[in-house]
Amino acid sequence: MAISCTCIIILMLVPLVFVGIITDAGTHKLSPLDQEANALLSISKELWSNQHNNVSNRCNWPGVNCNKAGSITLLSPPTPSYFTHEFRTQLCLLKLNFSVFQNLVHLDLSEMGLCEFPKLSGLKKLQHLNLSYNYLEGELPFTLLENLTQLLVLDLSANKFFGSISLIFGQMSSLTHMNLSNNLLFGEVPFTLANLTQLLVLDLSQNELSGFIPDEIGKLTNLLTLDLSSNFLSGPIPEQIGYLKRLTSLHLHSNLLSGFIPDEIGKLTNLLTLDLSSNSLSGPVPDEIGKLTNLLTLNLSSNSLSGPIPEQIEYLTRLEVLTIGSNRIDGCIPKEIEHLLHLKVLDLSGNAISGVIPSAIFIHSSYIDLSNNSLSGTIPSQIGNLSYLDLHYNNLCIKNRQELEFAIPFCYLDYNPFLDYYECDDHLNDHHNKHFGRSLVLVIILVCVTISLGSVGIGICIFRARHHGKLENKAAKNGDLFSIWNYDGKIAFEDIIEATEDFDIRYCIGTGAYGSVYEARLPSGKTVALKKLHKTESENPSYYKSFCNEVEVLTEIRHRNIIRLYGYCLHNRCMFLVYEYLERGSLFCNLADEMEAQELKWSKRVNIIKGTAYALAHMHHHCPSPIVHRDVSSNNVLLNSELEACVSDFGTARLLDPDSSNQTLLVGTYGYIAPELAYTMSVTTKCDVYSFGVVALETMMGHHPGEFMSTMSKPSTQQLLVKDVLDPRIPLPKSRKDMQDVVLVVKLALACLSSDPKSRPSM
């Protein structure tokens, strides 16, 4: 990843140790066992600490195995707990030589921070070589590997190797496992890999490989796992894939593959996982999919597949995950899907599916996303143990909304034309268009409000915003009562006044961009947050516009990581918004407080960043028109009691118009604003991406990364370790997963901070 005008090198936080062999001039006079003993003794302090300095007992050290003669056959040093910057720099300059260990069968130096490829000459018995998760770079060193004729397992993943995969790798005919994933390799997948007929696992994922998948891939008939995902592979899926009948896992997702899914895919009857998502595949889902009766996970999402879901889906009786979202699938959800008794995740969102929802899918599943379709009818009362249900943007008649929202933790039902209309006819179908449905629900809501309050009517913000582009404040008849819209119809204006003692300062928990935030415990026991405009603010046109803007945006989107708007009040006494209450407050405050910051362990911080990313991705890519927040900051990321993130404060957000230049005033929080806004004044989703990068770094560092970011813009030859920028108030991550996640977050955050918007990734 390149950052303009900087030579700062970001290095993995994983502790680094030297595993080299140091011998003196007289070593050659020693016996092979003494040479091995001396070699281990020279590095015992670094690798095994002083607790394991008895070299005569080396065969009992952790990560060391010996044969009956006492010669070492396995070396897998434990990951050290600490090292200094100076020590690491010194080790990186040394070349590592393992030629002493002539009987070595298994060498695992993963996560050791190696910078130089070790010398492996003479290791004729070596079968297992794992150098993954290091800093090895340059072209793949085939010349150092070609003499390892007994090698079965080669794992060079998660390094910095670049260049092409040489054709001569096809000569390593003994290999059963080859993992070159997560590097910088480019060029084509060499057809000579077809010579590796003993391969059980081939993983070339997360590189920059291009070209077609070679037809010769079909010769690897022993393969159990084939992973070519996250590359730039193009062209069709070769029909020869059908020869790989032992495959249990096939990952071709996140490429540029096109054409139809070949019928031959149905010959892979041992498949447990099939992931072809995020490509450009077209045509129908083949009926032959039904022959994959052992399948547990089927992911065909984010393609251009068309036609109906085949009825043969019923034969996938072991299926647990079915994802076909973001395609052009039409027709009905086949009734046969009810036979999938083990189905836990069902995602058919973003298609053109019509008809009714089969009732049985609610009983067994825990996650269902059918949003952005043309489904009609009602929702059955039996919902099993659903934890996530998204049905927004359909034509459904939802009679039991309160019941569903109470029973399902994450339930999204908005944007159905007959939402909450309790007299809707069960026979409503998709002949009722959305325009008619929205008009009808508007009339019903207005009538109910008029009857219950005895007023001449009020402006319903969401519909005025949707149809006229702004909100209008119609005065209530007596000016004293006001029912909060869209909160179960049970909260009166007086409830809010009483709960906050007329917005007493004691209930104020913070301030936003254009108002104060209050905590209110309602008579029902429910706690909500209120953002209130003071009188002077409500009379300010810019604040009033922000208020209306927030209502407009938050009624357009519903997502588990976006603050939920329960309702709002436009009243001659005051104006306020009613939100869900998030107990832990802002990310900024949690990072600033010493005790709360220590509670934010690395896994929690990574999840906070993930949640923020999910929210922005939904706004940018999953809404009818892209929505740009324009004020992403740690103050506007709120945390619930489980430390899950919700993006808040949409007063400056705006919908992007594809037919305009999207010129904007400079808004946002200083220190988070994308630099191009200062001179182009044109807002894009990449502005939010930049702000997200700042928040991600801030979460990892424990404070705003202003000083660190300023060094990025200056030429420097300084080497910087990731561990040196992490929040020192909590221990460095110890597990491999946490280490990997933290490094990935820092890497992505820096990519988001590129001065060139086009170089930043999308959410």
Side-chain angles (χ1 to χ4, degrees):
M1 173 186 59
I3 302 175
S4 59
C5 301
T6 180
C7 296
I8 296 177
I9 301 175
I10 300 298
L11 299 172
M12 192 183 296
L13 75 164
V14 183
L16 181 45
V17 286
F18 173 47
V19 200
I21 307 304
I22 303 174
T23 59
D24 57 32
T27 298
H28 67 280
K29 299 178 181 178
L30 300 176
S31 69
L33 291 183
D34 288 338
Q35 291 183 41
E36 291 183 4
N38 281 355
L40 278 186
L41 184 61
S42 68
I43 56 176
S44 61
K45 181 178 180 180
E46 289 79 10
L47 294 184
W48 285 274
S49 75
N50 293 327
Q51 299 176 1
H52 300 283
N53 56 7
N54 181 6
V55 73
S56 63
N57 191 38
R58 59 187 178 277
C59 293
N60 293 319
W61 291 7
V64 177
N65 284 353
C66 301
N67 60 19
K68 293 181 179 180
S71 181
I72 292 176
T73 59
L74 179 146
L75 274 177
S76 180
T79 302
S81 58
Y82 178 76
F83 65 96
T84 64
H85 175 72
E86 293 75 18
F87 182 50
R88 185 210 176 283
T89 303
Q90 177 185 358
L91 298 180
C92 267
L93 298 175
L94 297 176
K95 296 186 180 297
L96 316 182
N97 187 344
F98 288 88
S99 57
V100 170
F101 301 104
Q102 292 292 306
N103 291 305
L104 199 60
V105 174
H106 187 119
L107 178 60
D108 186 347
L109 302 178
S110 59
E111 301 185 55
M112 304 306 293
L114 302 181
C115 298
E116 294 278 350
F117 201 92
K119 186 176 180 181
L120 306 172
S121 61
L123 302 186
K124 301 293 186 181
K125 298 181 180 180
L126 193 64
Q127 297 180 4
H128 184 119
L129 176 61
N130 187 349
L131 302 177
S132 63
Y133 291 89
N134 283 293
Y135 304 108
L136 304 174
E137 56 186 353
E139 296 189 353
L140 290 172
F142 179 78
T143 54
L144 299 178
L145 299 170
E146 60 182 343
N147 293 324
L148 305 179
T149 57
Q150 301 299 313
L151 200 61
L152 301 178
V153 176
L154 174 63
D155 190 344
L156 303 180
S157 62
N159 280 285
K160 300 179 180 179
F161 290 116
F162 57 81
S164 60
I165 304 174
S166 173
L167 294 175
I168 56 179
F169 267 85
Q171 299 176 13
M172 304 181 71
S173 56
S174 297
L175 281 180
T176 61
H177 294 69
M178 185 185 215
N179 189 347
L180 305 179
S181 65
N182 198 6
N183 278 288
L184 304 172
L185 301 174
F186 54 79
E188 297 185 351
V189 177
F191 65 90
T192 55
L193 293 185
N195 297 329
L196 309 183
T197 55
Q198 302 303 310
L199 273 183
L200 302 177
V201 174
L202 176 59
D203 189 347
L204 305 179
S205 62
Q206 298 187 66
N207 280 289
E208 299 175 11
L209 300 173
S210 58
F212 289 12
I213 300 174
D215 294 344
E216 290 81 1
I217 203 80
K219 296 181 180 179
L220 302 179
T221 54
N222 284 309
L223 272 183
L224 301 177
T225 296
L226 175 60
D227 193 343
L228 303 178
S229 63
S230 300
N231 281 287
F232 298 103
L233 299 173
S234 58
I237 300 173
E239 296 177 357
Q240 290 80 359
I241 207 85
Y243 295 133
L244 309 182
K245 296 182 179 180
R246 296 187 64 193
L247 271 185
T248 59
S249 180
L250 176 58
H251 294 272
L252 302 179
H253 61 86
S254 305
N255 277 290
L256 305 173
L257 299 174
S258 58
F260 289 8
I261 299 174
D263 291 345
E264 286 75 10
I265 211 85
K267 297 179 180 179
L268 308 181
T269 54
N270 288 304
L271 273 183
L272 302 177
T273 300
L274 175 59
D275 192 344
L276 306 179
S277 63
S278 300
N279 279 289
S280 298
L281 299 171
S282 58
V285 178
D287 294 346
E288 283 72 14
I289 285 286
K291 298 178 181 179
L292 307 181
T293 54
N294 287 303
L295 211 56
L296 302 178
T297 298
L298 174 60
N299 190 347
L300 305 177
S301 62
S302 300
N303 280 288
S304 297
L305 300 173
S306 58
I309 300 172
E311 296 177 356
Q312 288 79 0
I313 202 84
E314 69 174 311
Y315 300 119
L316 307 184
T317 54
R318 299 183 61 192
L319 200 63
E320 298 176 356
V321 177
L322 175 59
T323 305
I324 319 182
S326 300
N327 278 285
R328 300 173 183 173
I329 301 296
D330 54 24
C332 299
I333 301 175
K335 192 175 187 301
E336 289 77 8
I337 207 168
E338 296 181 350
H339 298 155
L340 307 184
L341 303 182
H342 299 285
L343 194 63
K344 302 301 180 186
V345 175
L346 176 63
D347 185 352
L348 305 179
S349 61
N351 282 290
I353 300 173
S354 57
V356 299
I357 304 174
S359 58
I361 67 172
F362 290 93
I363 300 175
H364 306 291
S365 301
S366 57
Y367 180 107
I368 294 178
D369 188 350
L370 304 177
S371 61
N372 290 278
N373 279 290
S374 300
L375 295 167
S376 58
T378 60
I379 300 175
S381 57
Q382 291 184 316
I383 56 173
N385 294 315
L386 265 178
S387 59
Y388 184 99
L389 177 63
D390 192 344
L391 298 176
H392 72 268
Y393 292 106
N394 276 289
N395 295 321
L396 293 164
C397 173
I398 302 177
K399 294 182 176 181
N400 51 339
R401 176 174 184 170
Q402 292 184 17
E403 174 189 340
L404 291 171
E405 291 184 333
F406 178 79
I408 303 173
F410 300 99
C411 185
Y412 308 106
L413 305 174
D414 287 339
Y415 308 112
N416 284 280
F418 295 96
L419 191 66
D420 286 341
Y421 178 33
Y422 287 86
E423 297 180 1
C424 62
D425 190 339
D426 288 348
H427 298 289
L428 286 172
N429 54 49
D430 42 4
H431 290 294
H432 293 77
N433 59 53
K434 290 185 178 181
H435 178 76
F436 174 79
R438 288 175 180 171
S439 300
L440 180 58
V441 73
L442 175 58
V443 171
I444 293 168
I445 292 175
L446 289 174
V447 170
C448 292
V449 170
T450 302
I451 294 173
S452 62
L453 300 179
S455 63
V456 295
I458 59 173
I460 303 299
C461 289
I462 179 174
F463 297 102
R464 300 297 294 172
R466 183 176 297 162
H467 296 294
H468 299 285
K470 63 181 182 179
L471 297 170
E472 295 181 359
N473 183 13
K474 293 186 178 180
K477 186 173 183 179
N478 55 21
D480 293 325
L481 284 178
F482 191 88
S483 178
I484 307 302
W485 175 82
N486 198 29
Y487 191 73
D488 298 335
K490 297 179 181 177
I491 306 177
F493 181 84
E494 281 72 16
D495 292 332
I496 299 295
I497 297 300
E498 182 179 350
T500 60
E501 298 182 33
D502 200 11
F503 294 99
D504 189 276
I505 189 65
R506 290 178 298 140
Y507 297 92
C508 184
I509 57 176
T511 56
Y514 57 89
S516 299
V517 182
Y518 295 81
E519 177 183 349
R521 186 174 179 83
L522 302 174
S524 64
K526 180 84 172 181
T527 301
V528 296
L530 309 168
K531 181 188 287 187
K532 176 182 178 292
L533 269 71
H534 301 298
K535 184 173 180 60
T536 55
E537 294 167 337
S538 62
E539 294 173 351
N540 185 318
S542 62
Y543 286 129
Y544 178 82
K545 181 179 180 181
S546 294
F547 178 95
C548 296
N549 190 71
E550 186 148 10
V551 172
E552 179 181 1
V553 172
L554 286 180
T555 50
E556 285 291 333
I557 49 178
R558 280 288 174 87
H559 190 275
R560 62 178 296 178
N561 297 114
I562 294 176
I563 192 76
R564 188 165 187 177
L565 178 68
Y566 288 140
Y568 55 87
C569 173
L570 289 171
H571 193 270
N572 57 13
R573 289 172 58 182
C574 62
M575 296 165 56
F576 58 83
L577 301 160
V578 185
Y579 295 105
E580 65 176 315
Y581 177 72
L582 297 176
E583 299 83 350
R584 295 299 297 266
S586 72
L587 173 61
F588 175 84
C589 291
N590 279 265
L591 291 173
D593 185 275
E594 293 295 321
M595 296 298 293
E596 292 180 348
Q598 293 180 33
E599 188 178 345
L600 292 178
K601 305 302 182 186
W602 295 116
S603 60
K604 293 290 186 183
R605 298 190 188 208
V606 169
N607 283 334
I608 288 169
I609 293 168
K610 283 183 180 179
T612 307
Y614 289 144
L616 294 175
H618 180 77
M619 293 164 56
H620 293 179
H621 304 291
H622 299 151
C623 293
S625 296
I627 298 173
V628 183
H629 188 283
R630 296 204 296 171
D631 194 14
V632 178
S633 70
S634 58
N635 267 315
N636 292 335
V637 175
L638 305 182
L639 307 179
N640 64 14
S641 59
E642 302 298 321
L643 296 176
E644 296 172 328
C646 272
V647 175
S648 69
D649 204 337
F650 286 76
T652 60
R654 65 179 292 177
L655 279 68
L656 289 188
D657 183 354
D659 298 322
S660 77
S661 61
N662 291 298
Q663 292 292 111
T664 180
L665 297 176
L666 187 61
V667 297
T669 302
Y670 179 76
Y672 298 86
I673 302 173
E676 67 270 14
L677 276 176
Y679 53 86
T680 67
M681 305 302 287
S682 181
V683 64
T684 69
T685 56
K686 294 301 181 73
C687 298
D688 279 354
V689 172
Y690 181 91
S691 303
F692 168 79
V694 180
V695 172
L697 269 186
E698 182 176 357
T699 307
M700 293 291 102
M701 299 175 71
H703 58 82
H704 189 278
E707 183 177 350
F708 173 77
M709 290 165 60
S710 66
T711 64
M712 292 169 53
S713 61
K714 300 176 182 178
S716 173
T717 56
Q718 177 186 5
Q719 288 189 338
L720 192 63
L721 298 170
V722 166
K723 77 178 187 68
D724 293 334
V725 302
L726 296 181
D727 192 339
R729 294 173 295 180
I730 57 175
L732 290 173
K734 299 186 183 304
S735 73
R736 175 172 178 169
K737 184 180 186 305
D738 283 348
M739 291 175 183
Q740 183 179 357
D741 286 349
V742 168
V743 172
L744 179 61
V745 165
V746 174
K747 178 180 177 181
L748 292 177
L750 292 176
C752 294
L753 295 177
S754 172
S755 58
D756 180 8
K758 294 181 180 179
S759 298
R760 297 172 200 155
S762 68
M763 291 311 306

